[in-house]
Amino acid sequence: MTAEPRRRGGLLLALLGLAQLITSIDYNIVYVALPRIGADLGFSAQNLQWVVSAYAVAFGGFLLLGGRAADLVGRRRVFVAGLALYALASFAGGLAGTQGLLVAARAVQGLSGALLFPATLSLVVTSFEEGRERNRAFSVWAAAGAGGMVLGSLLGGVLTEAFGWAAVFYVNVPLAAVAIAGAALLLPADGPRATGRFDVAGALTATAGVTLVVFTLVQGPVRGWTSPALLATAAGGIVLLAAFVTIEARTSSPLMPLRLYRNRNLSTGVPLTLLFMATFGTLLYFLTVHFQHVLGYSALQTGLAYVVPMAAGAVGSLLGGRLAYRHGNRATLVTSLLVGGAAAVGLGLGIGAAHSYLALLPAMVVLNVAQGVIFTTMFAAATTGTALFDQGIASGIVSTGQQVGSAVGLAALVAVANAGGGSAGLRDATLAAAAGIFLTVLVALNFRRAAAPATEGEGELVTRVSKVSG
């Protein structure tokens, strides 16, 4: 690769990392502002969680639609549309003066993320050749996500205390604008795309079904799992998803081709990402509760407490690509899960035995390094062997598992924490997450030992970044 294509490839990777940074910042930045938002807009304790839940429900519900749109409409178009919508929703969120407007803005942010995330992930896969280049790209992409978590924690505390809670929304606007400008300069025009009509019936049933399921999982701990309205919502979601599978099996242009699940890597990647988010992804919540309710930290102090662990996560993300290239995706995942599970056990025992940040720090660092390696490797493993024209929907499928896992894990582990109460409950929830991490090892063992061969026709469609961006 000559110097100019290599430079353009680096700039393209930086752009995709920025998009991942934007979505990951928003994961943390709103959490630390919630008390101020609740006080200013008059949210009750029960309704305040909708500032978080509206984003999660919309994000999870529209991921399949966003992924298939990237295949049919074009990854560049969907990438830019997701960024533009994200900027508008963030600006509206900062201006919101009522509860309804803010929750609506958060839902549109979730929709934007559902467009942006699979488009970005599929661009990483299709722009870099499988092997060393793609592993490196995944490492940078995942490290940007980990960096966004750090920035989200810090910015959430700093901006809220200095300028008020609206600033945590406004900060997304210039970031999205820079990314849109970068896309115009660096992303090539959309070339050949998947053919066929858009599966309207599949899109409606999948989006509505996943939205209702995620809504049920998010609201269960709040309303109670035996709530008649919630049970009806869950039943409706299951019926719609069953109808979706039936439609996909019969239509000639499915939103989610069921043949994709014949790829063992993809069919393994979905439960793995689900379990990853149900365990690793929920520990942040319990640590935040421990910092603020047990150690008495302020929002800013909580953000600062995450700097070192999340910086360790960024290091793990950068290591993930190298380890996967040298030892293979499966071996890297299994080893990192075992290390992460051991660290989670240490963290749980530390929460139960000591009320000291320094006593927890070693376990948090090891846990986050392992988490970074896994986050990098699991997406690379799950999308290996999928045809180029199906990368958008494959990314959407895996990402849906990620979002559902977050909701399932949080609901289950909050119930564990509530049953134990206080520090004992936080310890029990963390140890339960550790048990789930060890269970995930069994799933990771189902990945293929070696990279799957390229799907027919994929090799003819150039994926090297030098040719994509040249």
Side-chain angles (χ1 to χ4, degrees):
M1 188 186 298
T2 61
E4 178 61 19
R6 186 180 295 113
R7 185 181 69 84
R8 287 184 64 84
L11 291 173
L12 173 59
L13 184 54
L15 170 64
L16 298 177
L18 176 60
Q20 174 68 350
L21 181 80
I22 291 170
T23 55
S24 63
I25 279 177
D26 208 55
Y27 185 85
N28 267 6
I29 197 169
V30 172
Y31 274 99
V32 293
L34 285 177
R36 293 278 187 89
I37 292 173
D40 287 356
L41 298 184
F43 278 97
S44 66
Q46 181 176 3
N47 290 334
L48 183 60
Q49 56 87 32
W50 268 109
V51 178
V52 175
S53 298
Y55 182 91
V57 170
F59 199 129
F62 284 90
L63 272 169
L64 288 178
L65 186 61
R68 198 53 176 166
D71 291 329
L72 293 174
V73 179
R75 298 179 186 94
R76 184 179 189 266
R77 292 185 181 94
V78 174
F79 181 84
V80 172
L83 286 167
L85 191 60
Y86 200 84
L88 290 172
S90 297
F91 188 70
L95 292 175
T98 66
Q99 297 176 19
L101 287 175
L102 182 62
V103 170
R106 286 290 288 164
V108 177
Q109 278 188 320
L111 169 60
S112 309
L115 295 173
L116 183 60
F117 190 89
T120 305
L121 180 56
S122 60
L123 281 167
V124 172
V125 175
T126 57
S127 298
F128 298 89
E129 185 179 26
E130 188 173 310
R132 184 189 295 271
E133 281 188 8
R134 189 177 297 173
N135 288 338
R136 173 178 171 270
F138 268 118
S139 292
V140 174
W141 175 77
M149 300 284 278
V150 176
L151 283 175
S153 299
L154 285 174
L155 287 175
V158 172
L159 293 176
T160 300
E161 292 196 4
F163 304 107
W165 61 264
V168 305
F169 291 91
Y170 291 142
V171 71
N172 294 319
V173 178
L175 292 175
V178 170
I180 291 172
L185 294 172
L186 297 171
L187 287 181
D190 290 312
R193 300 187 294 278
T195 58
R197 61 181 177 81
F198 194 78
D199 180 13
V200 177
L204 291 174
T205 51
T207 300
V210 174
T211 298
L212 290 177
V213 168
V214 175
F215 174 86
T216 301
L217 295 170
V218 169
Q219 287 293 292
V222 179
R223 298 189 180 187
W225 294 105
T226 58
S227 164
L230 207 59
L231 291 174
T233 301
I238 293 171
V239 169
L240 285 169
L241 289 177
F244 168 66
V245 173
T246 301
I247 291 169
E248 299 309 278
R250 296 179 178 179
T251 185
S252 59
S253 299
L255 174 75
M256 184 185 72
L258 299 181
R259 60 178 167 74
L260 293 176
Y261 289 97
R262 293 198 293 267
N263 177 357
R264 196 169 89 186
N265 288 329
L266 180 63
S267 60
T268 302
V270 174
L272 188 133
T273 55
L274 189 151
L275 286 170
F276 172 83
M277 287 304 296
T279 53
F280 283 98
T282 56
L283 289 176
L284 185 70
Y285 172 84
F286 298 104
L287 279 170
T288 300
V289 172
H290 180 74
F291 290 153
Q292 296 191 354
H293 293 179
V294 178
L295 301 185
Y297 284 5
S298 66
L300 180 57
Q301 288 173 318
T302 300
L304 291 172
Y306 285 127
V307 171
V308 172
M310 289 186 179
V315 172
S317 298
L318 293 172
L319 286 174
R322 293 185 179 184
L323 292 173
Y325 181 75
R326 181 173 299 177
H327 303 290
N329 289 329
R330 193 175 87 151
T332 301
L333 283 169
V334 168
T335 303
S336 300
L337 285 166
L338 290 172
V339 172
V345 170
L347 183 63
L349 296 176
I351 287 175
H355 293 166
S356 165
Y357 172 77
L358 291 179
L360 301 178
L361 188 58
M364 287 193 291
V365 168
V366 175
L367 181 76
N368 277 270
V369 170
Q371 181 174 345
V373 173
I374 296 164
F375 190 84
T376 297
T377 312
M378 69 180 184
F379 285 108
T383 54
T384 296
T386 298
L388 182 69
F389 288 155
D390 291 323
Q391 282 294 338
I393 186 59
S395 299
I397 291 169
V398 176
S399 304
T400 300
Q402 182 186 6
Q403 293 301 311
V404 172
S406 179
V408 170
L410 190 59
L413 295 178
V414 164
V416 172
N418 289 341
S423 293
L426 296 176
R427 176 203 61 204
D428 294 345
T430 305
L431 292 177
I437 292 170
F438 288 123
L439 176 65
T440 310
V441 173
L442 301 179
V443 178
L445 286 170
N446 195 50
F447 279 115
R448 294 185 182 276
R449 286 182 180 274
T455 305
E456 182 179 354
E458 186 176 2
E460 300 172 7
L461 293 165
V462 181
T463 58
R464 290 188 66 88
V465 67
S466 58
K467 297 182 180 179
V468 168
S469 57

